[in-house]
Amino acid sequence: MLKHAASLLTLCLLFLLAGLLPAAISLFSTLSDGPALTSFITGFNLRAFFNTMVMGLAVGLSACVAGFTIAYTIVNTKGFASKTARTIFPIALFAPSVMPAIGLIYLIGNNGLIIQTPLYGATGVFLGALVFTLPHATLQLLLSLERLDAGLILAARSLGASPLKGFLTIILPHCRAGLINAFLIAFVLTVTDFGVPKLLGGNFSMLATEIYNQAIGNQDWAAAGFLSLWLMLPCILTFYFTSKYPMTVAQPGDIPARPFSEHPIGWSIAAWLFLIFEASCVLVVIYGSFVTFWPYVPEMTLANYSFKNSTYGIDPWINSFVLATSVAAIGTIVSFVGTYLTRRVKNIPPALTKLFSATALLPLCIPGTVLGLAFALAFSGCSIFSSATGAMTLLVFNTLIHLYTVAHITAGNTFNQIDPRYETVGESLGVSPLSTIRQVILPLCKTGLGEVFCYLFASALTTISAVVFLYTPETMPAAVAAIQMIDSGFISEGAAMSTLIFVSALAVRIIVLQISQTK
């Protein structure tokens, strides 16, 4: 018992150290530079904060409407149409946020394929954030709708309720938690994202880009720390509401996929318009990666994948692949061990179990930009992180903490589906706990842990905000390199780097899930 409790306590201390210590150092650094901070606060007009909150609300509400339309269409259609929609809607999950931004430039920018518009500003940020957040919102609502008992709809019909009344009194109330979660996820992703406002923001300031400009552009770390405190406010509120409406994570066998209501043709038309818009913003980037020089030299070529105009070449993609693989492997192991200790091991003090559950949720209320800035202030002077290996270690540690909460929730849901009596049977047969874990628990968890690995890998591969303050020239991530290429005028090479990220994340998911589902 002492060994298990000590292991769990170690994990608790690790998350507390990673989450609270850098934040405390960041706050101290912010408050200690009195003159600079006072000067900045005096000139701070709240514009960036106001823009960020309004944009988060607008995208959150729009993602809920669009996501519900797509999810409602999926569960109320059959055959090829439903399967195709299920395949298309998660496509943006495997792309960095810069990829939808590039796609919008290709489609509706100044030299757009469809129309030419002044995309940069609030319009561009809204559309880019909507594409980026739409699959997250859709997934939450799809899981809610698929858990609705179709018998309730049939009972309402037999009692004379119209389709509209059944929709308003049964379907929407059932989806309340899913709608809240969809809104909160889209809101937080929008207010904390760096890639979309960096490429499409123009003069429309957002907190994430303002923090970066103050820290990197002006070298004013006190001002950046002050802005990061503002960015934490909405995330703390989100953490509070998420504790009341826990996130839903897909699990094997959760999806019965049956129609339960009449489905007007208007729903399908709207859903497919959203799906086509999302897919087009991603797929056009793949096309653009083969264009010699957009939009002036349209001939197709593979030269963009040599990255000859970039100082770093293909090294950023290699760095991101190493980062993602390390985070996914370590995170999957840690989430399995932590969840097993809290859910299946007896005689661990309840207070310690509750402490670990709370610390595992802590990263949810710390935006990636804020965590990255705090890590930079806390650890940038440490000699152990000065080498290339040390810098990569810091990136792995930071990204793992940033992404861990969803992995923890997914692992917990996986263990909830496994009968707890397996360990009791093993003890009665004289089998060691390790043998029970190896021969029984791990095979039963294989698919769920595969989902954890895929989530961590794709998220670490595409993340920008969590690493933008921490990389060195030797450890530059691919998504950051893509932004720099576009800023330098080489949009086709930026598209090529984004395409490598997308293909890598998708390929690893296909391979891992194929392995995890093999009996």
Side-chain angles (χ1 to χ4, degrees):
M1 183 188 75
L2 290 177
K3 181 173 65 175
H4 294 148
S7 300
L8 194 59
L9 180 61
T10 301
L11 291 176
C12 291
L13 293 176
L14 178 66
F15 283 104
L16 287 173
L17 177 69
L20 297 182
L21 181 60
I25 294 175
S26 177
L27 180 62
F28 175 77
S29 175
T30 300
L31 298 178
S32 62
D33 194 352
L37 182 59
T38 302
S39 175
F40 178 77
I41 295 174
T42 302
F44 183 53
N45 61 8
L46 297 179
R47 185 181 66 172
F49 179 78
F50 177 78
N51 288 347
T52 302
M53 296 303 104
V54 171
M55 187 59 66
L57 291 171
V59 173
L61 291 173
S62 301
C64 282
V65 173
F68 188 90
T69 304
I70 295 171
Y72 193 74
T73 297
I74 289 175
V75 298
N76 282 295
T77 53
K78 296 181 180 179
F80 179 77
S82 179
K83 291 180 180 178
T84 303
R86 286 178 185 274
T87 302
I88 292 176
F89 92 81
I91 190 171
L93 290 173
F94 307 103
S97 60
V98 296
M99 199 168 187
I102 300 171
L104 288 169
I105 294 172
Y106 280 148
L107 292 174
I108 59 174
N110 293 330
N111 298 287
L113 290 171
I114 301 176
I115 56 174
Q116 291 77 45
T117 63
L119 181 62
Y120 299 94
T123 301
V125 174
F126 172 80
L127 292 175
L130 179 60
V131 174
F132 178 54
T133 60
L134 183 56
H136 298 272
T138 303
L139 180 60
Q140 289 295 311
L141 294 165
L142 183 61
L143 292 171
S144 291
L145 286 169
E146 285 171 335
R147 287 170 176 157
L148 174 61
D149 187 355
L152 297 175
I153 304 296
L154 295 175
R157 289 176 187 168
S158 65
L159 294 172
S162 66
L164 177 60
K165 188 171 184 180
F167 177 82
L168 295 176
T169 58
I170 297 176
I171 296 174
L172 278 184
H174 171 82
C175 293
R176 183 180 64 169
L179 286 166
I180 292 173
N181 280 327
F183 172 81
L184 293 175
I185 291 171
F187 177 83
V188 170
L189 288 174
T190 301
V191 302
T192 60
D193 180 53
F194 177 79
V196 170
K198 180 68 172 67
L199 289 185
L200 300 178
N203 294 324
F204 186 79
S205 58
M206 297 277 285
L207 279 177
T209 51
E210 283 298 309
I211 291 171
Y212 180 82
N213 292 336
Q214 291 297 331
I216 304 301
N218 299 335
Q219 292 294 303
D220 190 344
W221 294 92
F226 174 72
L227 284 173
S228 70
L229 298 178
W230 286 89
L231 189 57
M232 283 192 68
L233 291 178
C235 295
I236 292 173
L237 289 175
T238 300
F239 176 77
Y240 167 74
F241 283 108
T242 303
S243 65
K244 297 185 67 175
Y245 301 94
M247 283 192 296
T248 304
V249 183
Q251 291 297 319
D254 272 353
I255 302 177
R258 64 196 186 281
F260 54 75
S261 182
E262 291 89 352
H263 189 60
I265 189 65
W267 282 93
S268 294
I269 294 173
W272 279 102
L273 287 175
F274 288 130
L275 288 169
I276 291 170
F277 174 63
E278 177 192 350
S280 298
C281 288
V282 175
L283 297 179
V284 73
V285 179
I286 300 175
Y287 162 75
S289 70
F290 296 103
V291 172
T292 300
F293 189 74
W294 180 275
Y296 306 106
V297 185
E299 286 76 19
M300 307 300 282
T301 180
L302 291 173
N304 294 320
Y305 286 88
S306 67
F307 305 108
K308 61 182 179 181
N309 293 306
S310 171
T311 305
Y312 306 100
I314 201 173
D315 288 347
W317 175 79
I318 297 174
N319 292 335
S320 287
F321 195 87
V322 172
L323 170 66
T325 303
S326 302
V327 169
I330 297 171
T332 302
I333 294 171
V334 172
S335 64
F336 175 85
V337 172
T339 307
Y340 185 83
L341 291 174
T342 54
R343 302 292 179 92
R344 312 304 285 245
V345 176
K346 302 176 182 178
N347 300 322
I348 289 183
L352 185 57
T353 301
K354 292 180 180 179
L355 176 62
F356 176 75
S357 298
T359 55
L361 294 176
L362 181 63
L364 195 63
C365 64
I366 305 177
T369 304
V370 177
L371 188 65
L373 179 67
F375 266 62
L377 291 170
F379 303 122
S380 59
C382 298
S383 58
I384 59 173
F385 299 125
S386 59
S387 64
T389 302
M392 180 58 72
T393 301
L394 186 60
L395 286 177
V396 170
F397 185 38
N398 170 267
T399 307
L400 176 60
I401 297 300
H402 174 54
L403 301 174
Y404 182 76
T405 298
V406 174
H408 171 76
I409 293 172
T410 307
N413 289 344
T414 300
F415 272 95
N416 287 342
Q417 297 184 350
I418 299 175
D419 194 327
R421 291 174 294 183
Y422 284 120
E423 286 87 347
T424 304
V425 172
E427 291 177 5
S428 65
L429 295 175
V431 179
S432 68
L434 287 178
S435 296
T436 303
I437 292 173
R438 185 177 64 254
Q439 298 177 19
V440 180
I441 303 300
L442 276 176
L444 292 173
C445 290
K446 189 167 61 171
T447 303
L449 293 179
E451 289 285 352
V452 172
F453 185 95
C454 292
Y455 162 77
L456 291 173
F457 183 90
S459 299
L461 196 67
T462 59
T463 188
I464 301 175
S465 60
V467 299
V468 72
F469 295 106
L470 298 174
Y471 71 88
T472 64
E474 295 82 9
T475 60
M476 173 177 283
V480 177
I483 292 176
Q484 291 196 359
M485 292 173 188
I486 297 168
D487 284 343
S488 301
F490 303 108
I491 188 171
S492 295
E493 292 192 6
M497 186 63 76
S498 299
T499 300
L500 283 179
I501 298 172
F502 174 78
V503 172
S504 301
L506 187 59
V508 167
R509 177 172 180 81
I510 293 172
I511 293 170
V512 171
L513 291 187
Q514 190 68 31
I515 294 173
S516 64
Q517 292 173 3
T518 302
K519 295 183 179 180

